[in-house]
Amino acid sequence: MAELLALEDVTAGYDASIVIDRLSLTIEAGESLALLGRNGVGKSTLLATLMGLTRLHSGSIRLAGADVTRRPPHRRATAGLGWVPQERFMWPSLTVEEHLTSVARPGKWTLREIYRIFPRLHERRDNMGNQLSGGEQQMLAIGRALMINPSLLLLDEPMEGLAPIIVQELMNVIEDLVAESGMAVIVVEQHARLALQLTKRAIVLDRGRIVHASPSEALLADPDRLHRLVAVA
């Protein structure tokens, strides 16, 4: 597979603070990666850095061979980065359907396809974003990111705070995305076992650096190591 994303010695954070420290990472086209670690080690900051939302102190970021290190967030999105932020960021003045169509770009993911994988969004298409339940907002956040037809989807804590039945529904959708879409996916998830079940490869961060890398299946099969790497001390 061809290289899709490459970070080289990236150091980034907020203002003068360093959260990501000289991190290098490559993602191939169609690859799925679980990004794990304890709270506060830099997982969400790494995704925000990919989107151009942090202060980059040094290093470079390439997407599909193009240097996007200094590109603003909207140009990274049009270059192929789809981001589902932890906060979801619903727009209270837009309906469900307007959330989806306002960012649409040509490709496989159309309004019809989003409604196929999330029938509930079709039922609520005329509701405002802030009138949805937490699970429906998460579906909409994922659908909105897919509508830009990204080559790489960034999922930041997609299961956080959701009812078990909604978690299972989202798990099924993400599994299908990983298996069938040809799109690369990075999953940040505090429930490490869920992320490992969804992905083929895993890395663990600590203090902004990669301290472990392995196939997801191998880490899932080694609960003692997984506990040492991600459990709160």
Side-chain angles (χ1 to χ4, degrees):
M1 289 187 289
E3 179 184 276
L4 176 63
L5 177 74
L7 285 75
E8 256 185 55
D9 291 325
V10 167
T11 297
Y14 304 97
D15 296 325
S17 66
I18 302 296
V19 182
I20 302 301
D21 188 12
R22 291 171 290 172
L23 187 146
S24 295
L25 174 68
T26 59
I27 303 287
E28 295 183 341
E31 187 175 16
S32 55
L33 177 74
L35 179 56
L36 307 176
R38 300 178 179 90
N39 286 332
V41 299
K43 305 184 299 297
S44 294
T45 299
L46 179 54
L47 297 193
T49 298
L50 294 179
M51 289 306 304
L53 297 169
T54 63
R55 180 179 177 186
L56 187 71
H57 294 271
S58 62
S60 65
I61 302 171
R62 294 193 310 277
L63 181 65
D67 189 339
V68 299
T69 308
R70 302 299 171 189
R71 288 190 191 179
H74 70 278
R75 289 193 59 203
R76 298 187 193 209
T78 57
L81 286 181
W83 181 46
V84 181
Q86 191 173 358
E87 299 84 356
R88 299 172 189 148
F89 295 135
M90 295 293 100
W91 300 320
S93 62
L94 297 185
T95 66
V96 166
E97 193 152 304
E98 288 168 341
H99 271 81
L100 298 170
T101 57
S102 64
V103 298
R105 300 180 70 241
K108 169 186 175 178
W109 292 104
T110 62
L111 196 59
R112 183 175 181 177
E113 277 296 292
I114 299 303
Y115 287 157
R116 180 185 64 81
I117 64 171
F118 293 127
R120 199 172 316 190
L121 294 183
H122 184 258
E123 296 169 6
R124 304 294 301 273
R125 61 189 180 278
D126 293 325
N127 287 88
M128 298 299 179
N130 62 350
Q131 294 175 328
L132 305 180
S133 69
E136 290 165 346
Q137 287 188 1
Q138 190 63 283
M139 293 174 194
L140 181 53
I142 294 172
R144 182 176 57 191
L146 290 174
M147 285 291 285
I148 73 165
N149 278 282
S151 54
L152 174 57
L153 183 65
L154 310 175
L155 296 167
D156 194 356
E157 301 278 6
M159 314 301 178
E160 183 182 23
L162 302 181
I165 189 171
I166 302 298
V167 168
Q168 188 56 59
E169 186 175 348
L170 290 177
M171 287 277 290
N172 293 340
V173 168
I174 296 169
E175 282 177 342
D176 289 344
L177 291 176
V178 168
E180 300 173 9
S181 70
M183 177 176 54
V185 180
I186 299 178
V187 182
V188 168
E189 180 55 59
Q190 203 58 40
H191 301 287
R193 296 184 68 85
L194 292 182
L196 293 171
Q197 291 170 39
L198 292 168
T199 55
K200 299 295 185 184
R201 184 160 70 102
I203 61 172
V204 180
L205 296 188
D206 188 24
R207 299 181 184 180
R209 296 185 179 184
I210 297 173
V211 295
H212 175 86
S214 71
S216 296
E217 186 178 21
L219 190 52
L220 194 59
D222 192 345
D224 290 340
R225 171 172 287 185
L226 179 59
H227 181 78
R228 288 196 302 271
L229 287 168
V230 305
V232 177

